[in-house]
Amino acid sequence: MVKIIASSVRKGNVLEVEGKLYVVLTAQNFHPGKGTPVTQIDMRRISDGVKVSERYRTTEQVERAFVEDREHNFLYEDGEGFHFMNPESYDQLTMSHDDIGDLKAYLQEGMTVILSVHEGVAIAIDLPRHVTLEIAETEPVVKGQTASSSYKPAILSNGIRTLVPPHISAGTRVVIATEDGSYVERAKD
């Protein structure tokens, strides 16, 4: 175990609190005008999926668990969960539907992801920052509409809703940020 200060905790880190492992969902630092700065950490207990919210002084020490981050390829999804394979050793790991959560919409067959493994169990996933998806449907282009910052709603091939520039039409491949589902650019392929 490694002790780190609370203000340096980031999303995806694995912490050990009172003998149990937690994966960090969000970590925010608050600096009030008066009083001590604090770090608000929302975590999910790995053993049973219970979500916990803790507040630490930013200089307080927390224990970070030793986790091995390794590249894995996404194979497929079935009733058991999501299956991944280590491209070097061909070992396969499975993550439950609860562990993947909303990120499942961005998983594509053969995609390379980073899995955090603790004692042979996959406990967290880190997707590539951007994925390329196709626009399934969107409003038609309005003639004479300026190319200002006006965005229109669109539905991607994975069912996620996002906002795209007016010149993007259905069938266009676009690059989407996996962090928040926002439009980045038109795909170059």
Side-chain angles (χ1 to χ4, degrees), residues 160-188:
I160 299 286
R161 294 179 178 275
T162 190
L163 295 171
V164 296
H167 66 275
I168 301 290
S169 59
T172 306
R173 291 175 53 77
V174 293
V175 177
I176 300 295
T178 55
E179 188 175 35
D180 58 3
S182 63
Y183 169 85
V184 177
E185 64 183 2
R186 179 182 249 159
K188 301 198 175 18

Side-chain angles (χ1 to χ4, degrees), residues 47-111:
S47 58
D48 56 11
V50 172
K51 290 185 180 170
V52 177
S53 188
E54 291 285 336
R55 209 167 249 221
Y56 298 97
R57 289 190 309 277
T58 53
T59 55
E60 236 178 302
Q61 301 266 323
V62 292
E63 287 194 36
R64 187 169 174 194
F66 176 72
V67 177
E68 197 174 3
D69 291 338
R70 277 246 169 97
E71 280 191 357
H72 283 73
N73 294 331
F74 173 60
L75 298 175
Y76 60 93
E77 172 193 4
D78 64 10
E80 290 179 34
F82 296 84
H83 299 268
F84 300 88
M85 181 183 69
N86 182 327
E88 295 165 14
S89 65
Y90 302 109
D91 291 340
Q92 290 190 23
L93 292 172
T94 304
M95 286 187 77
S96 72
H97 291 86
D98 292 340
D99 290 344
I100 299 289
D102 298 339
L103 299 177
K104 73 178 180 184
Y106 299 109
L107 277 174
Q108 299 169 354
E109 200 171 300
M111 175 186 274

Side-chain angles (χ1 to χ4, degrees), residues 26-44:
T26 60
Q28 294 177 307
N29 294 318
F30 295 104
H31 301 278
K34 213 176 191 181
T36 312
V38 294
T39 300
Q40 174 78 32
I41 302 175
D42 294 329
M43 313 177 276
R44 182 174 35 82

